[in-house]
Amino acid sequence: MMMNTRKLWMCAMSGVLAVALHAEADAYCGFTAISGGDSHTCAITDDSLALCWGDDGAGQITSPGGVFTQVSAGGFHTCGLRSDGSVECWGDPIAVLTTPFTGVFTQISTGAYHSCALRDDETIECWGYGFFGQTTAPPGAFTQVSAREYRTCGLRPSGAVECWGESTADDSIPTTDDFASVATGGLHACGLRTDGTVACWGDDEEGQASPLSGTFTQITSGALHTCGLRPGGTVECWGYQGEIPPLAGIFVKISAGTFHTCGIRSTGLAECWGDGNPVDDPRAVPAPDVCSVCGDGVTEGPEQCDDANSVAGDGCSDICSTEFCGDHVVNNSGTEQCDDGNLVDTDTCTNTCQDARCGDQIVGPGEQCDDGNIVDTDACTNACQDARCGDQIVGPGEQCDDGNLIDTDDCTNACQDSRCGDQIVGPGEQCDDGNLIDTDACTNACQDARCGDLIVGPGEQCDDGNLIETDACTNACQDARCGDQIVGPGEQCDDGNLVDTDTCTNACQDARCGDQIVGPGEQCDDGNLIETDA
């Protein structure tokens, strides 16, 4: 860190309060950007801090620490752009976004109670009070956004201007596509053309929409006035002039508040003019008696701390602002593990500046869930993945989980214990038809129906489960019958034919004299015992 000796003091110039600079060697204190609000003003110091002054009724000048690349003062709030493109606002709760939009922004602008910012994809995001439609940005690409009071205007890549929000009957925007920038006022707006000339439209009650001739390099609009920066660095204004007219001399940047205007000299000096509240005068640029030197061990000026070193991460940053979670600096006191400077709680660094980890109750990168416990069998596993069948963890509604796609083992692909009746042929099963019909091709024991299983299955007339062929149920599971070639119960023989005159009658009895059938070796058989008849 360069240890420059800087001195800064207040001085009165023609009724104008200003920050004067005195440099020893090459050192100086000053501002690099400035923005006028309703009754306050904010600026970026050469240390990239946001410094505000004026009315603080809503906390609009109580700026947070850390580095800013742009600041915009509104009605009763202020917004700033961090170096990573994130947005931070403070002041009136109506206008301040409590949950900032995520993403990267390249420019921001504030109105009375609303704010709009330009994303890095060139779309515009607005928030806050939007009764007049000032927060409803048109779709499509823009290269600049400008908000004031209750209206907003944007510049298209083509050079055309579009405005939305509160308007007047005279609010007729030029249809040309040759604008380089736009400045929104109370009920008027002005555009700087590519040739340096200015065109204005809207309310012209105080002449604020009647621009001066000639060329300008920058324009800015307040409620009832407009100012422009000439190529030579002089300032000229039109419309309501207020208590104090534009200052003479050379400026490098200007910004109009509601009824005042501020500018930055080439030395970094900030000066303001116009109307101001005597108590909380937005023109009163604050300055300590001695310009702060970050690293000298003395907390002064815009410094929030000064620990006499240039080490970031020890609680006091290398730009002498109090370090906090979200300032892009990892505090080495052990309280922070990371600091990415954003409010995205689901990235690799949480909003408490701790490394994202499974079990922190935040669904971080690569996680599907995070319930913060070590119960592996609930809906969120200890690996912070949604419990699912196949993850080898028996989760809710599961009876088993073997992690494979084999449906026929002990654990089905639905993570249920394999069982007879689940329509899956599992271990020890020959079949599984999922029904309770024991007499079909698959038994209720999930075995193929077979003769001898004691179940009368398809094609069977009986099934006694034994190997006795001569009982009432044959070994083919058919009812024993005369003619089946098996000598069954009540049968003396069974030759399986229909020849009644052989040795086995059709009644499956041995052929005998007296059975009324002329059998083998018989000439007659009348079936009686009368020996003397024919």
Side-chain angles (χ1 to χ4, degrees), residues 34 45 51 89 146 183 209 345 411 415 436 445 470:
I34 197 162
T45 70
L51 184 63
C89 300
S146 175
D345 209 24
C411 186
C415 289
L436 296 176
T470 57

Side-chain angles (χ1 to χ4, degrees), residues 280-332:
D280 296 306
D281 195 330
R283 299 167 297 156
V285 184
D289 291 336
V290 178
C291 186
S292 61
V293 177
C294 181
D296 62 1
V298 180
T299 302
E300 56 189 354
E303 295 179 344
Q304 295 176 331
C305 59
D306 196 319
D307 55 5
N309 66 48
S310 58
V311 178
D314 58 0
C316 184
S317 74
D318 56 357
I319 60 172
C320 290
S321 62
T322 303
E323 292 176 336
F324 59 93
C325 178
D327 62 3
H328 288 280
V329 179
V330 178
N331 193 312
N332 58 25

Side-chain angles (χ1 to χ4, degrees), residues 323-373:
E323 292 176 336
F324 59 93
C325 178
D327 62 3
H328 288 280
V329 179
V330 178
N331 193 312
N332 58 25
S333 64
T335 57
E336 295 182 349
Q337 295 175 331
C338 59
D339 196 319
D340 55 8
N342 63 43
L343 294 176
V344 181
D345 209 24
T346 55
D347 57 11
T348 57
C349 185
T350 69
N351 285 350
T352 57
C353 290
Q354 302 298 307
D355 292 328
R357 62 175 180 81
C358 179
D360 59 8
Q361 293 188 296
I362 300 168
V363 180
E367 296 180 346
Q368 296 174 333
C369 58
D370 196 318
D371 55 10
N373 64 40

Side-chain angles (χ1 to χ4, degrees), residues 376-406:
D376 208 25
T377 55
D378 58 10
C380 185
T381 70
N382 285 349
C384 289
Q385 302 297 308
D386 292 330
R388 61 175 181 83
C389 180
D391 59 9
Q392 295 187 296
I393 301 168
V394 180
E398 296 179 347
Q399 295 175 332
C400 59
D401 197 318
D402 56 9
N404 63 42
L405 296 175
I406 301 173

Side-chain angles (χ1 to χ4, degrees), residues 362-451:
I362 300 168
V363 180
E367 296 180 346
Q368 296 174 333
C369 58
D370 196 318
D371 55 10
N373 64 40
I374 53 173
V375 180
D376 208 25
T377 55
D378 58 10
C380 185
T381 70
N382 285 349
C384 289
Q385 302 297 308
D386 292 330
R388 61 175 181 83
C389 180
D391 59 9
Q392 295 187 296
I393 301 168
V394 180
E398 296 179 347
Q399 295 175 332
C400 59
D401 197 318
D402 56 9
N404 63 42
L405 296 175
I406 301 173
D407 208 24
T408 56
D409 57 10
D410 290 328
C411 186
T412 70
N413 285 350
C415 289
Q416 301 298 307
D417 292 329
S418 177
R419 64 177 179 79
C420 180
D422 60 9
Q423 294 187 296
I424 300 168
V425 180
E429 296 179 346
Q430 295 174 332
C431 59
D432 196 320
D433 55 10
N435 63 42
L436 296 176
I437 301 172
D438 208 24
T439 56
D440 58 10
C442 185
T443 70
N444 285 350
C446 289
Q447 302 298 308
D448 293 329
R450 61 177 179 80
C451 180

Side-chain angles (χ1 to χ4, degrees), residues 41-384:
T41 303
C42 292
I44 300 294
T45 70
D46 58 359
D47 287 333
S48 297
L49 302 176
L51 184 63
C52 300
W53 59 93
D55 178 33
D56 197 30
Q60 63 265 43
I61 72 170
T62 307
S63 58
V67 172
F68 286 91
T69 59
Q70 188 204 338
V71 67
S72 179
F76 298 94
H77 74 291
T78 306
C79 290
L81 203 61
R82 294 287 190 182
S83 56
D84 65 351
S86 61
V87 170
E88 189 164 351
C89 300
W90 55 96
D92 192 335
I94 296 176
V96 173
L97 187 64
T98 54
T99 304
F101 291 109
T102 58
V104 177
F105 295 88
T106 59
Q107 189 231 326
I108 192 163
S109 185
T110 53
Y113 296 98
H114 78 290
S115 304
C116 293
L118 185 66
R119 288 190 180 276
D120 60 351
D121 65 359
E122 297 189 332
T123 59
I124 291 176
E125 197 87 62
C126 297
W127 62 93
Y129 178 74
F131 180 79
F132 294 102
Q134 63 267 42
T135 59
T136 306
F142 290 87
T143 58
Q144 183 211 344
V145 63
S146 175
R148 172 70 69 185
E149 298 300 311
Y150 304 102
R151 59 192 277 123
T152 310
C153 293
L155 183 68
R156 293 287 191 183
S158 65
V161 170
E162 287 188 43
C163 297
W164 55 97
E166 189 176 21
S167 61
T168 68
D170 300 323
D171 208 1
S172 179
I173 305 172
T175 58
T176 56
D177 293 342
D178 59 349
F179 289 103
S181 66
V182 62
T184 306
L187 287 173
H188 77 290
C190 294
L192 181 65
R193 298 187 188 277
T194 54
D195 63 3
T197 60
V198 176
C200 299
W201 55 91
D203 181 42
D204 198 29
E205 179 183 355
E206 296 288 338
Q208 66 267 36
S210 297
L212 301 177
S213 59
T215 61
F216 295 86
T217 60
Q218 183 199 343
I219 56 172
T220 181
S221 294
L224 298 172
H225 74 291
T226 305
C227 293
L229 193 64
R230 293 290 190 184
T234 58
V235 177
E236 293 191 49
C237 299
W238 53 96
Y240 176 70
Q241 296 296 311
E243 300 170 356
I244 302 170
L247 299 177
I250 306 303
F251 289 87
V252 294
K253 293 179 182 177
I254 56 173
S255 176
T258 303
F259 295 109
H260 72 287
T261 308
C262 294
I264 298 176
R265 302 281 191 183
S266 60
T267 58
L269 170 71
E271 295 183 90
C272 299
W273 61 92
D275 287 347
N277 184 313
V279 178
D280 296 306
D281 195 330
R283 299 167 297 156
V285 184
D289 291 336
V290 178
C291 186
S292 61
V293 177
C294 181
D296 62 1
V298 180
T299 302
E300 56 189 354
E303 295 179 344
Q304 295 176 331
C305 59
D306 196 319
D307 55 5
N309 66 48
S310 58
V311 178
D314 58 0
C316 184
S317 74
D318 56 357
I319 60 172
C320 290
S321 62
T322 303
E323 292 176 336
F324 59 93
C325 178
D327 62 3
H328 288 280
V329 179
V330 178
N331 193 312
N332 58 25
S333 64
T335 57
E336 295 182 349
Q337 295 175 331
C338 59
D339 196 319
D340 55 8
N342 63 43
L343 294 176
V344 181
D345 209 24
T346 55
D347 57 11
T348 57
C349 185
T350 69
N351 285 350
T352 57
C353 290
Q354 302 298 307
D355 292 328
R357 62 175 180 81
C358 179
D360 59 8
Q361 293 188 296
I362 300 168
V363 180
E367 296 180 346
Q368 296 174 333
C369 58
D370 196 318
D371 55 10
N373 64 40
I374 53 173
V375 180
D376 208 25
T377 55
D378 58 10
C380 185
T381 70
N382 285 349
C384 289

